[in-house]
Amino acid sequence: MNKARSNPLNTLAMHGALILYTLIALFPVFIILINSFKERRSIFREPLALPDSESFSTIGYETVMQQGDFFLYFQNSMIVTVASLFFILLFGSMAAYALSEYRFRGNMLMGLYLALGIMIPIRIGTVAILEMMVATGLVNSLWALILVYTAQGLPLAVFILSEFMRQVSDDLKNAGRIDGLSEYTIFFRLVLPLVRPAMATVAVFNMIPIWNDLWFPLILAPAEETKTLTLGSQVFIGQFVTDWNAVLSALSMAILPVLILYVIFSRQLIRGITSGAVK
Amino acid sequence: MTALSLKNVNKSFGKVHVLKDVNLDVEEGEFVVFVGPSGCGKSTLLRVIAGLEDATSGEVSIGDEVVNMTPPSKRGIAMVFQSYALYPHLNVRGNMTLALKQEGQPKSVIEERVQTASRMLNLEPYLDRYPSELSGGQRQRVAIGRAIVRKPELFLFDEPLSNLDAALRMNTRIEIANLHRQLGASMIYVTHDQTEAMTLADKIVVLRDGRVEQIGSPMELYNNPANQFVAGFLGSPSMNFFPARIIQDGDDRIMGVRPEDLFLADDGILSARVSHVEKLGGDTNVIAHLKDHQITARLFGQHAVEEGQDLRFGFNPQSAYHFDTYGARLY
Ligand SMILES: Nc1ncnc2c1ncn2[C@@H]1O[C@H](COP(=O)(O)OP(=O)(O)O)[C@@H](O)[C@H]1O
Ligand SMILES: [Mg+2]
C-alpha cells in the first residue's frame, strides 16, 4: 500500500483519475451555473460559453425573486430537510442501539421488520398516506412531509447504524455502567460520537433525495405557504414555454444549501474516522 | 468477612450453558486469579460479579450482602478492561473523575483522590492528555487509576496485560502486585496466562468449560493438581503426559512428569529422540519424541544436545503423577 502510494507514477495516475472524475461530476453543475447568468438567446446559441459582457444577464434571478415567494419555498425546504434528518438520525440511532445492545425476545424479527422498508418504496403507499394525512388534518403542513421523510429514511438508517453500533466496544459501555452512567448518557456521550461517520453517511444518503423530492410536496403540501423549493421551481416549467433563465437560476440557488450541508457532514465523516477510537 | 461469595452461580446465553454451578469465596484483601483457556467463561464470570450480566441462577454476595439485584455502580466494585475502555472524549483527569462526579463526591475529595492515584501510577504529567495521545502502557495505567480513585471493596481485572508487549507486561504485573500490597483491597484478576496466575495469586481458580476445576494457592495447585487438566495447565513448559504402558506393559493409566523433573541418565527409563532444542543459557529445553508422544525436558544449565540425537531420560518415581483414562488424579 505504502509502496504503491509513494511511487510517483501511481500517484499521478491516481490523481489523474480523481481529477477526471471530479470534472465529469461537476460539469453539469458548472453548465447550470454559467447559463443561469446568461440571457435566454445565448443559453441556446452557445450553452458552453462563459457569460461575457454581451450575454451576461441576471434576468433569471430577478424573475425568480419576483415570481412567487422564493425565500419562503427555500425556508420550507430547509425546515423539512433538516427536521427530517434530525428525526431520522435520532430515532434511527436509538432503534439501532436497542437492536444491537439489548437482548430481548423478537430482537431479530424486529430488526428484519425495520429493515424491510429498504426494499419497499414508500411511494407505493402514497394513497394511504394521503388518506391518513387528510384524516389527521396534516395535509398542507410541513409536518406531513417531515413525517413521511422520516419514515422513508428510518429503515436504511437503522440498518446501517445498528451494524456500526455492534462494533462499538462492549468494554467501553460496560465501563460507563460501572461508573454509574445512565443508559441514555452511555448512548449519547459514548456511543453516538463513535458512530459519527456512520451518522454522516446516513445523513448524506437521505439529504439529497429529501431536498430534491417533488412527489410528496406535490401531493401532500401543494399550498402556496408550504411549497418546497423543487415544487416552487415548477412554475417556470410550463407545458408550452419554459422560462429557462428562471429554472437555471432557481436550480443554482437550490444547489447551495445542499452543498453547505454536505460539507458539514463530510467534515464530520472525516473527523470521525481520524479521531482515534478506544484502543 | 468475605469480600465476595458465589453460590451455585449459573449463566446461560439462550441454549448455551456458559457457567455451571460456580461456588467461590474470596476473603478480604485476597488476590484471586481466574485462569483457564480462552472461551472457558472467565470474562462472563467476571461480568456476572460486576453485575453487567445477570446470573441465570445462584447467588452473588459482595461484602456479606446479596447483590443480584444491585446495579454495577452500586456494588462497590471497579473494573479494568482488556481494551482499556477509556472514554475517548475525556482527558485523563476526566476519565478518572467521572465515576466520582456521578456519585456526587465533593470537589476536594475528587481532587485529592486523583492526586493520590496519579502519584501512585506516575500519571501526573499526563492528566490533561486525551487517551488517543497516550501509549498502550499509559492507557492501561489510566484505566487502573480510574479504578483506584473509586476506592472499591473489590477490584476486577479482565486480562489487563494481554494488549501490552512482553517487557511492559512484566513491569505492569509487578506494579499491580505492589498496588495490591499498598491498597490491601480484594482483587479478582482474569487471565489465560499461567505465569501471571502463578506470580500474582494468593488463590488460583482454574476454570474449564464454565466449571471450576480446582481452587487453591499456586503451590498447592502446582504440587497437588486434582486432575490432568490442572496439571497440564499450570507450570511452564507444561507437564508431560504419556501412557504408563510405555514403562510397564498392561498399565492403562496416564503418567505425568513435569519437564523439570526429567534428567539425563544413561540408564534412564525413557528413551527418546530429540526433535528440537531451546538453549536459554540458564536452562536448556529439550523437546523429544517418545514413540508417538512428545515430551519436554527442562535441564538446568547448558547441555550439548543436538537434534536427532537419541537420549535416555530418568525421573524420580515419587515426582510422577498418575491419572485414570478420564483424567482424574489417582495419586
Ligand atoms: N453475550 C453473549 N452471548 C452469547 N454467548 C456468549 C456471550 N458472551 C460470551 N458468550 C460465550 O460464552 C463463552 C465464554 O466466553 P468468555 O467468558 O468471554 O470466555 P473467556 O473470557 O474465558 O475467554 C464463549 O463460548 C462465548 O461464546
Ligand atoms: Mg475474556
Side-chain angles (χ1 to χ4, degrees):
Chain A
M1 188 73 197
N2 260 340
K3 218 171 179 181
R5 216 183 270 162
S6 55
N7 182 339
L9 225 95
N10 275 338
T11 317
L12 206 73
M14 202 162 75
H15 281 88
L18 288 175
I19 288 168
L20 188 73
Y21 178 75
T22 311
L23 286 181
I24 293 171
L26 286 184
F27 186 69
V29 178
F30 178 70
I31 295 297
I32 290 174
L33 266 176
I34 57 168
N35 281 308
S36 72
F37 284 104
K38 290 198 287 204
E39 46 163 15
R40 189 179 166 81
R41 255 180 313 132
S42 329
I43 295 177
F44 286 101
R45 199 180 304 150
E46 286 183 284
L48 292 182
L50 287 171
D52 54 22
S53 56
E54 199 186 312
S55 64
F56 181 81
S57 149
T58 53
I59 177 78
Y61 290 93
E62 280 158 33
T63 323
V64 171
M65 294 304 171
Q66 281 155 15
Q67 275 256 358
D69 202 341
F70 192 80
F71 279 105
L72 179 69
Y73 303 161
F74 191 89
Q75 196 187 341
N76 288 339
S77 275
M78 209 63 190
I79 291 173
V80 167
T81 308
V82 171
S84 307
L85 284 185
F86 175 77
F87 287 124
I88 289 172
L89 291 179
L90 180 72
F91 296 135
S93 60
M94 285 175 132
Y97 186 63
L99 287 176
S100 63
E101 180 63 16
Y102 303 118
R103 286 189 295 272
F104 54 89
R105 211 176 278 277
N107 181 318
M108 268 282 284
L109 279 179
M110 186 72 95
L112 279 178
Y113 171 70
L114 284 175
L116 211 61
I118 299 172
M119 290 156 259
I120 301 172
I122 195 170
R123 287 174 190 199
I124 287 178
T126 302
V127 174
I129 290 173
L130 182 59
E131 279 172 353
M132 213 151 68
M133 293 299 172
V134 170
T136 47
L138 285 174
V139 173
N140 280 331
S141 76
L142 294 181
W143 276 111
L145 296 177
I146 293 172
L147 287 176
V148 168
Y149 291 142
T150 305
Q152 172 187 306
L154 273 178
L156 193 65
V158 172
F159 188 72
I160 293 179
L161 290 175
S162 60
E163 215 40 61
F164 272 78
M165 283 187 184
R166 262 184 260 283
Q167 286 160 29
V168 173
S169 139
D170 277 336
D171 286 355
L172 188 65
K173 292 174 273 192
N174 285 338
R177 289 187 184 116
I178 287 178
D179 280 351
L181 301 182
S182 69
E183 289 297 308
Y184 280 97
T185 318
I186 291 173
F187 172 68
F188 283 112
R189 302 295 299 279
L190 297 182
V191 177
L192 279 196
L194 290 178
V195 296
R196 211 159 45 185
M199 304 263 286
T201 313
V202 170
V204 169
F205 270 129
N206 279 298
M207 175 177 72
I208 293 156
I210 294 176
W211 183 267
N212 288 340
D213 190 34
L214 182 59
W215 181 263
F216 283 114
L218 189 62
I219 293 164
L220 297 178
E224 186 59 25
E225 65 273 17
T226 56
K227 262 187 194 163
T228 61
L229 196 54
T230 336
L231 185 54
S233 313
Q234 299 304 309
V235 295
F236 306 117
I237 300 178
Q239 194 174 355
F240 306 109
V241 224
T242 293
D243 185 344
W244 284 110
N245 293 79
V247 170
L248 292 176
S249 307
L251 281 178
S252 299
M253 287 195 277
I255 290 169
L256 253 174
V258 201
L259 211 66
I260 292 168
L261 280 179
Y262 181 80
V263 169
I264 293 172
F265 288 132
S266 59
R267 281 244 319 254
Q268 287 295 320
L269 222 153
I270 293 160
R271 207 187 303 161
I273 291 165
T274 51
S275 78
V278 201
K279 285 194 194 168
Chain B
M1 200 172 88
T2 45
L4 169 81
S5 123
L6 303 176
K7 292 208 180 73
N8 294 321
V9 169
N10 280 279
K11 174 71 193 172
S12 307
F13 293 106
K15 285 200 185 77
V16 191
H17 199 172
V18 177
L19 295 178
K20 296 153 192 162
D21 273 328
V22 176
N23 286 290
L24 175 70
D25 281 310
V26 176
E27 302 301 327
E28 194 103 322
E30 211 172 15
F31 199 118
V32 176
V33 174
F34 295 171
V35 69
S38 280
C40 71
K42 305 179 298 287
S43 301
T44 307
L45 183 55
L46 208 62
R47 287 207 299 272
V48 168
I49 295 170
L52 298 166
E53 301 277 2
D54 292 325
T56 311
S57 71
E59 201 178 271
V60 181
S61 328
I62 295 178
D64 292 338
E65 201 177 317
V66 179
V67 292
N68 281 43
M69 304 308 274
T70 314
S73 58
K74 302 254 160 62
R75 291 190 177 196
I77 51 143
M79 192 158 169
V80 177
F81 297 90
Q82 179 179 359
S83 62
Y84 319 134
L86 299 179
Y87 307 122
H89 65 294
L90 294 176
N91 61 16
V92 171
R93 186 189 299 277
N95 266 282
M96 297 202 339
T97 54
L98 184 69
L100 298 177
K101 284 183 187 153
Q102 290 299 120
E103 284 173 13
Q105 296 279 4
K107 268 212 171 67
S108 56
V109 174
I110 297 180
E111 189 49 38
E112 185 233 299
R113 291 208 197 161
V114 171
Q115 287 286 330
T116 319
S118 52
R119 204 171 321 121
M120 245 185 234
L121 295 163
N122 296 322
L123 282 172
E124 280 149 322
Y126 310 112
L127 284 177
D128 294 318
R129 293 218 198 154
Y130 283 86
S132 54
E133 300 161 342
L134 298 175
S135 72
Q138 290 165 344
R139 286 178 207 180
Q140 192 52 277
R141 291 217 299 281
V142 175
I144 294 172
R146 184 170 67 179
I148 292 177
V149 294
R150 303 191 56 199
K151 298 209 165 172
E153 293 171 41
L154 184 61
F155 280 88
L156 307 175
F157 293 90
D158 192 353
E159 310 212 12
L161 308 186
S162 53
N163 279 344
L164 303 179
D165 61 54
L168 209 49
R169 202 176 300 166
M170 171 132 179
N171 286 339
T172 317
R173 198 167 75 205
I174 294 168
E175 241 174 283
I176 289 176
N178 280 333
L179 215 59
H180 177 238
R181 268 191 289 275
Q182 277 176 37
L183 300 171
S186 324
M187 296 187 173
I188 296 180
Y189 186 103
V190 162
T191 180
H192 63 261
D193 181 308
Q194 61 91 26
T195 316
E196 277 174 33
M198 298 295 275
T199 50
L200 286 170
D202 295 324
K203 185 151 99 184
I204 294 182
V205 179
V206 182
L207 290 164
R208 176 167 62 155
D209 288 340
R211 224 181 276 282
V212 174
E213 291 284 311
Q214 195 176 1
I215 301 180
S217 76
M219 288 311 118
E220 268 167 37
L221 298 198
Y222 181 83
N223 294 327
N224 200 9
N227 54 43
Q228 192 181 347
F229 176 77
V230 176
F233 199 79
L234 296 179
S236 167
S238 56
M239 190 185 279
N240 298 304
F241 297 106
F242 46 83
R245 78 181 119 76
I246 288 184
I247 294 169
Q248 194 171 5
D249 260 342
D251 192 342
D252 58 0
R253 295 173 306 180
I254 294 168
M255 252 179 129
V257 182
R258 293 212 178 266
E260 46 270 43
D261 290 334
L262 288 175
F263 49 82
L264 288 176
D266 292 335
D267 57 349
I269 196 161
L270 303 173
S271 137
R273 170 160 293 179
V274 177
S275 58
H276 186 68
V277 184
E278 290 177 339
K279 292 181 178 164
L280 303 170
D283 287 333
T284 307
N285 291 337
V286 178
I287 293 108
H289 276 95
L290 178 70
K291 304 230 172 83
D292 311 334
H293 299 275
Q294 180 173 303
I295 59 168
T296 307
R298 183 167 164 206
L299 307 175
F300 189 72
Q302 304 180 358
H303 295 261
V305 179
E306 294 301 330
E307 275 123 57
Q309 205 175 328
D310 283 317
L311 288 178
R312 296 190 81 85
F313 294 98
F315 59 89
N316 183 344
Q318 248 93 63
S319 67
Y321 298 82
H322 298 266
F323 304 93
D324 68 17
T325 41
Y326 301 102
R329 173 90 181 276
L330 297 169
Y331 58 90

